[in-house]
Amino acid sequence: MIRARIVLILLLVGGLPRVSWGASVEGVEKAIRAGVDHLYEIQQGNNWDYNWQDDHGNAGGRTALVAYALLAAGESPQNPKLKAAIDYLIPLKVEGVYATGIRCNVWFLLPQTPEIKQVFRDDAQFLQFAMKMKGPGRGLFDYMPNKEGGGAGRYDHSVSQYGVLGLWAAAQANIEIRGDVWRLMDTAWRAKQRPDGGWMYVSEEKDKPSTASMTAAGVASLFITQETVHAMEGLTGSGYSPDESLDRGLKWIG
């Protein structure tokens, strides 16, 4: 699990322009503190959802993203401003995959009280229900689940990475995830990789090029699914087992 988090950081850093100077630890901490202070300054009431258009069922999505950023930056969930946002999120009815996926990562960074465990399990169950079970998007996600769950229809790699990240957070919290969910997601991301090693927003858009953002999503998602689906393959005593899809994706990013 640690390896996948490191990969996410490397992908972000790899997308930055090259500079001739290095950042000190103090400089990084100062920048994080400035970001934290800014987020608190722009909070309105108990949330950050102001001016947010609640399309695709993602009410609370912006607040969840900010709350996750603050918790990941080391902020205490008992900070009155952050606690107010968490209390806002807990009872909020969320119907979209984007908001649910990031909200699961908020739950993961909180003390696992009975209340948090319950909403965490509910969100993980929702994501499993929302994953496509047929059609070209099998193993991937749309903004909103089909009413019957697991249906066919549209998908894209952008929202699908949030499905992976949300279920990953749940699995790390020892919430049971169906085994076929990981295998289907792993198969889907591999199948949607383009010949050049990259990914695009939707694979069926053949006339559009692979993009850095979607290739980063593809590589990070495969690092996560690989750890669940193919973890035992590294225990055969043969050492590192090459993963062609990951190698090609990393080469594209490089």
Side-chain angles (χ1 to χ4, degrees):
M1 296 302 180
I2 293 175
R3 179 181 64 176
R5 288 204 183 277
I6 292 173
V7 168
L8 290 174
I9 295 170
L10 289 176
L11 292 176
L12 291 173
V13 173
L16 298 176
R18 294 184 181 274
V19 292
S20 59
W21 45 268
S24 66
V25 172
E26 294 77 11
V28 170
E29 291 178 347
K30 182 178 179 180
I32 292 173
R33 187 68 250 170
V36 167
D37 291 343
H38 172 71
L39 291 173
Y40 282 134
E41 287 171 5
I42 64 173
Q43 184 178 11
Q44 293 191 1
N46 62 356
N47 66 78
W48 287 270
D49 279 351
Y50 53 91
N51 297 326
W52 175 261
Q53 299 299 317
D54 179 23
D55 54 351
H56 305 308
N58 287 306
R62 179 178 288 172
T63 296
L65 189 61
V66 174
Y68 173 70
L70 292 171
L71 289 166
E75 288 296 285
S76 168
Q78 296 305 315
N79 179 303
K81 288 191 171 185
L82 182 51
K83 185 178 185 303
I86 293 167
D87 290 342
Y88 164 77
L89 287 172
I90 290 173
L92 192 65
K93 183 175 176 57
V94 177
E95 299 177 341
V97 171
Y98 269 117
T100 305
I102 197 64
R103 194 165 77 160
C104 282
N105 284 271
V106 173
W107 306 148
F108 178 65
L109 293 181
L110 294 176
Q112 297 299 294
T113 64
E115 182 180 32
I116 294 300
K117 285 182 178 178
Q118 185 58 57
V119 293
F120 206 167
R121 283 192 294 266
D122 290 345
D123 281 356
Q125 184 65 31
F126 169 84
L127 290 175
Q128 293 176 84
F129 172 84
M131 191 186 74
K132 302 288 183 182
M133 296 298 292
K134 58 185 178 182
R138 189 169 187 252
L140 300 172
F141 296 81
D142 190 7
Y143 297 113
M144 301 275 287
N146 295 46
K147 290 183 178 180
E148 70 278 11
R154 81 169 297 282
Y155 75 93
D156 66 62
H157 297 135
S158 178
V159 67
S160 292
Q161 69 176 312
Y162 279 78
V164 174
L165 290 170
L167 290 170
W168 182 40
Q172 291 178 96
N174 297 317
I175 294 175
E176 184 175 356
I177 308 297
R178 299 194 324 267
D180 67 313
V181 168
W182 295 111
R183 189 166 296 279
L184 286 171
M185 290 192 298
D186 186 75
T187 299
W189 282 98
R190 294 178 190 279
K192 299 301 183 182
Q193 189 173 24
R194 306 187 76 201
D196 65 359
W199 281 264
M200 58 195 303
Y201 186 71
V202 176
S203 294
E204 282 70 22
E205 296 177 341
K206 307 290 186 182
D207 59 326
K208 296 183 179 180
S210 300
T211 65
S213 59
M214 291 299 94
T215 302
V219 168
S221 295
L222 280 185
F223 266 108
I224 293 169
T225 61
Q226 182 204 49
E227 287 188 337
T228 301
V229 177
H230 303 284
M232 297 303 293
E233 296 174 8
L235 301 179
T236 60
S238 58
Y240 171 71
S241 179
D243 188 307
E244 181 183 356
S245 294
L246 280 172
D247 290 345
R248 290 170 56 223
L250 288 169
K251 183 177 179 180
W252 190 99
I253 291 172

